[in-house]
């Protein structure tokens, strides 16, 4: 794919009480941000199973954004802390699996922070455009042993 | 009635699965009495030609252990698939890719580079690397191709049943054989072990932390002498019992070692590692970002812990291997 035509796809998992409302407010306030985002609403950032994130990548997402309430503001009291713990571990795993830092992001965005939502999306789209398409994870390319041998001798 | 014909074969594996069959001890005599073993390279002198000579579907069951790494293994499993009515993936490597599957974290060139050049025990200038084809006075010698990726058995051929475990325990094997001989096999695609998490059959389950966070330190098994009565998670040792399929009777935990997940995920789990990650993260005893990071960083090799037996079957790697199946 030609680098200049590349448009990243970002899947955003947003909690229904804060970040989803921020996205809604950004819309009703006529704010504009790139159309690279696909929003999936979850009841709580604590509901976002790491399997969702990996599946989003599996289905071709270039980046995943998780949005939740600010610490202390969770509608379910502690769900966002649970999200934070999972995120930190997931981030480490993702790095080991070859998923770059910019592709996975957690942000606390309250219902009134539409401008912050817009800024985060803009920033992430820019980061991913710069980074280019995701590649390398598990690409199955049977190559003959002689080719590998040549590579060693080269 | 003629005895059912059975074949056993190994691909990329350590030999433990073959050993597990021998570990059936006296029960193996019952097996030998009940079935006709027509192929078992590790123990009996049958050749590939003997399998080729069978008519298609003549073998009742082929038990295949090991992941698929070489062209030879791929060829053999296709052959066995043709000859057998049931193909049973035997052990973690055939089931999910297993330990050899961790090689998918790197690529073949790096593997060759390390194994034949950089490893401390290798004399770097001896120039010996495996060649796929070598001509000697007696003729051409050929080696199988070494694929770029390790695959689980069902990423290569259609698999009817799975026997999980590294290796499967004698009980799991004996139950599967009995089901096969009595024609009481479950629905195709079933994993022939427990349907509940390992914790349900663990003697220490009563001391398992149920609510709230508990891991304020993560310890590796050699760092402490674990209390043999208390849940290992409650003692700070990462045990994957909560997310691992039961059926092994918690043999490792009985030996005071944590579950490392060899029986694989439960039925409705898409990705074992992600589920294990959830379970561990939920136990970290902190709401403070820096403290969480400290705890997370105290786990060396997260991918190795979470995908020890299942990397080729994880959603990310599986998708790359079977492109086009995603909506």
């Amino acid at each position: 794919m030609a680098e200049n035509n590349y448009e990243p796809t970002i899947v955003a998992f947003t909690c229904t009480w804060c970040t989803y409302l921020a996205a809604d407010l950004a819309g009703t306030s006529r704010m504009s941000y790139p159309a690279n985002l696909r929003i999936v609403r979850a009841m709580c950032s604590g509901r976002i199973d790491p399997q969702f994130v990996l599946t989003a990548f599996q289905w071709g997402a270039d980046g995943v954004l998780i949005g939740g309430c600010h610490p202390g503001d969770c509608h379910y009291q502690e769900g966002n802390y649970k999200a934070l713990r999972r995120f930190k571990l997931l981030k480490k795993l993702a790095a080991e699996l070859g998923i770059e830092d910019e592709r996975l992001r957690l942000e606390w965005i309250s219902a009134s922070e539409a401008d912050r939502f817009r800024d985060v999306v803009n920033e992430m789209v820019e980061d991913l455009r710069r980074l280019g398409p995701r590649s390398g994870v598990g690409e199955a390319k049977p190559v003959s042993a002689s080719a590998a041998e040549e590579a060693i001798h080269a | 009635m003629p005895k059912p014909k059975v074949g056993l074969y190994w691909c990329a594996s350590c030999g433990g699965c073959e050993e597990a069959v021998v570990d059936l001890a006296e029960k193996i005599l019952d097996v030998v009495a009940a079935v006709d073993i027509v192929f078992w390279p590790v123990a009996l002198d049958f050749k590939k030609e003997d399998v080729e000579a069978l008519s298609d579907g003549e073998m009742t069951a082929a038990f295949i252990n090991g992941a698929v790494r070489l062209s030879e293994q791929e060829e053999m499993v296709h052959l066995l698939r043709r000859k057998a009515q049931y193909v049973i993936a035997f052990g973690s490597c055939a089931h999910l890719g297993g330990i050899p599957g961790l090689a998918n974290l790197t690529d073949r060139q790096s593997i060759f580079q390390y194994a034949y050049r950089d490893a401390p025990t290798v004399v770097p200038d001896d120039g010996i690397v495996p060649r796929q084809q070598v001509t000697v006075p007696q003729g051409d010698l050929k080696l199988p191709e070494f694929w770029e990726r390790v695959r689980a058995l069902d990423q290569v051929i259609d698999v009817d049943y799975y026997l999980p475990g590294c290796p499967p325990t004698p009980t799991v094997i004996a139950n599967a054989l009995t089901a096969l001989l009595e024609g009481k096999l479950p629905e195709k695609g079933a994993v022939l072990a427990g349907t509940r998490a390992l914790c349900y059959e663990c003697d220490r389950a009563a001391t398992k932390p149920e609510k709230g966070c508990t891991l304020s330190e993560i310890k590796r098994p050699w760092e402490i002498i674990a209390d043999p009565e208390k849940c290992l998670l409650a003692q700070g040792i990462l045990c994957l019992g909560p997310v691992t399929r039961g059926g092994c009777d918690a043999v490792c935990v009985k030996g005071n070692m944590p579950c490392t997940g060899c029986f694989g995920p439960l039925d409705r789990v898409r990705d074992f590692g992600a589920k294990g990650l959830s379970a561990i993260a939920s136990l970290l005893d902190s709401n403070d970002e820096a403290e969480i990071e400290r705890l997370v960083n105290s786990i060396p090799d997260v991918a190795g812990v979470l995908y020890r037996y299942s990397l080729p079957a994880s959603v990310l790697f599986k998708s790359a291997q079977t492109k086009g199946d995603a909506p």
Side-chain angles (χ1 to χ4, degrees), chain B residues 166-178:
Chain B
C166 183
T169 58
T171 319
V172 166
I173 300 172
N175 289 346
L177 280 171
T178 313

Side-chain angles (χ1 to χ4, degrees), chain A residues 49-51 54-55 58 78 81-82 85-86 88 92 96 137-139 141-146 149 152, chain B residues 108 112 130-132 145 148-149 270-271 275 278 281 284 286-287 289 293 299 302-303 319-320 323:
Chain A
D49 190 314
Q51 290 185 110
L54 294 184
T55 305
Q58 178 195 18
E78 297 245 321
Y81 287 116
K82 187 166 183 153
R85 288 195 292 269
R86 281 179 180 159
K88 290 289 174 193
K92 196 169 180 217
E96 289 179 16
V137 179
E139 281 297 322
K141 275 178 283 182
V143 187
S144 71
S146 49
E149 189 190 298
I152 289 171
Chain B
R108 190 183 53 182
F112 274 52
R131 287 160 198 278
Q132 215 181 319
E145 284 188 59
E148 183 73 20
R149 294 286 169 209
R270 282 175 69 90
D271 189 282
K275 211 70 210 169
S278 264
L284 299 180
S286 178
N287 285 344
E289 193 164 342
E293 259 174 32
I299 306 174
V302 177
S319 66
K323 272 217 167 95

Side-chain angles (χ1 to χ4, degrees), chain B residues 155-208:
Chain B
Q155 289 164 350
V156 180
I157 56 165
D158 191 32
V159 170
D160 296 292
Y161 297 103
Y162 302 87
L163 267 181
C166 183
T169 58
T171 319
V172 166
I173 300 172
N175 289 346
L177 280 171
T178 313
L180 178 72
L181 293 173
E182 293 175 355
K184 287 180 184 161
L185 285 165
E187 209 176 314
K188 183 179 165 171
V191 178
L192 306 176
T195 51
R196 298 213 289 179
L198 179 67
C199 292
Y200 281 101
E201 59 198 51
C202 180
D203 294 339
R204 311 182 191 203
T207 57
K208 181 182 163 192

